[in-house]
């Protein structure tokens, strides 16, 4: 009996190793796809950036937001997310800072009067890392994302691997990959729509205002949400 028990324990340990500490990975992947397809703050931000500045800016924003999600996942894996979850003051500071940043970006878009054709040329010379950094900041300054992953990820990590980094990174990476693919499709479709307005300056300027209004509204929503 003792030998059978040891073999059983060894098999469980081996299976856990092969699963990389992940429980029900395919269930997590299905949930990730559904969640990524649901429009949210990141989708609105990426859509606004693409409509206002084009495909290059949209892709840079997608990469910035993806990097922000990975950082949130690392915070959860390292236990640092608990600091945000347990500190109402820190949560409020991050929330209002993120809201203010979105409103600031929205005001800049609203006040932009250059038609999109000219804006595309001017922004083509701008460093992509600046747009990437703005996407990263908007994501990092949203503490609700930390709480979201803090609630989601542990459900798919085996108890024995709860203190390991690898399962969180694999789950977070899978979430980022599925989300990035979807967001790149959104960028492609939005850029195609923008190109239809390249020779309509009045419509282009109004589109700038609409994009700016979306970001300002998003910032107000973040600030007022509980």
């Amino acid at each position: 009996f003792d030998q059978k028990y040891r073999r059983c324990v060894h098999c469980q340990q081996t299976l856990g190793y092969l699963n990389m500490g992940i429980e029900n990975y395919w269930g997590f992947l299905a949930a990730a796809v559904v969640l990524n397809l649901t429009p949210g703050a990141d989708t609105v931000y990426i859509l606004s950036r693409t409509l206002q500045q084009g495909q290059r800016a949209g892709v840079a924003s997608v990469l910035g937001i993806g990097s922000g999600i990975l950082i949130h996942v690392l915070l959860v894996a390292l236990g640092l997310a608990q600091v945000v979850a347990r500190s109402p003051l820190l949560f409020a500071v991050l929330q209002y800072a993120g809201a203010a940043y979105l409103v600031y970006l929205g005001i800049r878009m609203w006040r932009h009067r250059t038609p999109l054709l000219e804006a595309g040329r001017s922004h083509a010379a701008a460093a992509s890392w600046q747009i990437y950094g703005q996407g990263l900041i908007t994501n990092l300054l949203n503490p609700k994302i930390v709480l979201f992953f803090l609630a989601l990820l542990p459900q798919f990590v085996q108890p024995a691997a709860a203190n390991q980094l690898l399962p969180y990174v694999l789950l977070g990476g899978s979430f980022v990959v599925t989300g990035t693919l979807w967001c790149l499709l959104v960028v492609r479709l939005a850029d195609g729509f923008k190109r239809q307005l390249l020779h309509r300056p009045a419509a282009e300027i109004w589109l700038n205002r609409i994009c700016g209004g979306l970001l300002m509204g998003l910032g107000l929503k973040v600030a007022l949400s509980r």
Side-chain angles (χ1 to χ4, degrees):
F1 174 80
D2 186 57
Q3 291 181 346
K4 290 182 179 179
Y5 175 76
R6 290 181 179 178
R7 283 198 296 268
C8 181
V9 171
H10 177 71
C11 290
Q12 290 178 347
Q13 292 175 342
T14 302
L15 183 60
Y17 175 77
L18 293 175
N19 289 336
M20 300 297 182
I22 297 174
E23 186 173 321
N24 191 17
Y25 174 76
W26 296 111
F28 171 82
L29 198 61
V33 171
V34 172
L35 291 169
N36 282 316
L37 291 178
T38 304
D42 289 342
T43 306
V44 173
Y45 177 79
I46 291 167
L47 187 62
S48 299
R49 274 298 190 193
T50 306
L51 290 173
Q52 205 262 344
Q53 293 175 275
Q55 182 171 293
R56 182 180 179 183
V59 171
S61 298
V62 170
L63 296 178
I65 287 173
S67 299
I69 291 176
L70 287 178
I71 293 176
H72 283 302
V73 170
L74 289 177
L75 292 177
V76 173
L78 297 175
L80 298 177
Q82 294 285 355
V83 177
V84 178
R86 295 175 181 176
S87 175
L89 177 60
L90 179 57
F91 183 91
V93 169
L94 290 174
Q95 179 179 2
Y96 291 126
Y101 189 67
L102 285 170
V103 171
Y104 163 74
L105 292 177
I107 291 174
R108 288 188 59 185
M109 283 189 182
W110 179 278
R111 297 178 61 184
H112 194 75
R113 294 293 183 268
T114 306
L116 290 176
L117 180 60
E118 299 176 20
R121 290 169 180 169
S122 62
H123 285 296
S128 295
W129 66 266
Q130 292 178 333
I131 302 173
Y132 166 87
Q134 290 175 347
L136 176 64
I137 292 172
T138 57
N139 190 269
L140 290 180
L141 290 180
N142 188 350
K144 289 197 170 184
I145 298 179
V146 174
L147 300 184
F148 168 75
F149 283 113
L150 191 59
L152 177 68
L153 295 182
Q155 299 182 44
F156 297 92
V157 176
Q158 296 176 354
N163 296 322
Q164 298 178 13
L165 183 63
L166 182 59
Y168 291 95
V169 172
L170 292 176
L171 291 173
S174 299
F175 190 93
V176 169
V177 168
T178 56
T180 298
L181 292 175
W182 165 246
C183 288
L184 289 177
L185 177 59
V186 171
V187 168
R188 183 63 179 174
L189 294 175
D191 183 66
F193 175 75
K194 182 186 80 71
R195 290 180 181 277
Q196 300 298 320
L197 303 177
L198 287 179
H199 302 290
R200 300 178 183 177
E204 296 164 23
I205 292 174
W206 274 106
L207 186 58
N208 285 349
R209 293 178 178 176
I210 292 173
C211 292
L214 285 174
L215 286 186
M216 286 188 283
L218 181 60
L220 292 176
K221 180 181 178 182
V222 170
L224 298 176
S225 62
R226 292 290 183 268

